[in-house]
Amino acid sequence: YKTQMESISIPAISSGIQGFPKDKCAEVMFLTSIDWALQQDETCPLTQIILCNYDSYTIEFFQKKLNQIFRPPPPPKKGKKK
């Protein structure tokens, strides 16, 4: 690794004034971060990725997308006993 960073903060740049859709921004940031993290091995010093936003409106989009990505699977349907 070129750096020994243990954490990084990534802001949701362009999801506001530049007009990039906030829900798509959240999806790309979450899935890209997850994908990158899954490709690393135990020698990677980076242990924390912080996705940061400064306004509560944008944070709401990120919370909704996070809940969609990590939504627990529905419980199995109970079938009729034979």
Side-chain angles (χ1 to χ4, degrees):
Y1 294 95
K2 292 181 181 181
T3 70
Q4 293 300 310
M5 291 187 305
E6 294 177 359
S7 67
I8 187 169
S9 294
I10 306 170
I13 296 173
S14 295
S15 69
I17 198 165
Q18 297 299 321
F20 192 78
K22 292 180 184 295
D23 59 335
K24 185 67 175 170
C25 177
E27 179 179 348
V28 168
M29 290 179 73
F30 282 129
L31 295 179
T32 302
S33 297
I34 292 165
D35 183 55
W36 180 87
L38 291 173
Q39 294 179 39
Q40 306 311 305
D41 62 24
E42 65 278 349
T43 63
C44 179
L46 189 67
T47 59
Q48 187 175 39
I49 300 172
I50 302 164
L51 304 180
C52 56
N53 300 292
Y54 65 89
D55 65 285
S56 58
Y57 183 67
T58 302
I59 290 170
E60 286 180 30
F61 279 92
F62 274 68
Q63 288 174 330
K64 287 178 185 176
K65 186 56 68 174
L66 183 66
N67 290 337
Q68 288 174 358
I69 292 171
F70 290 104
R71 179 183 322 143
K77 293 184 178 181
K78 295 181 180 180
K80 293 181 180 180
K81 292 183 181 180
K82 293 182 180 180

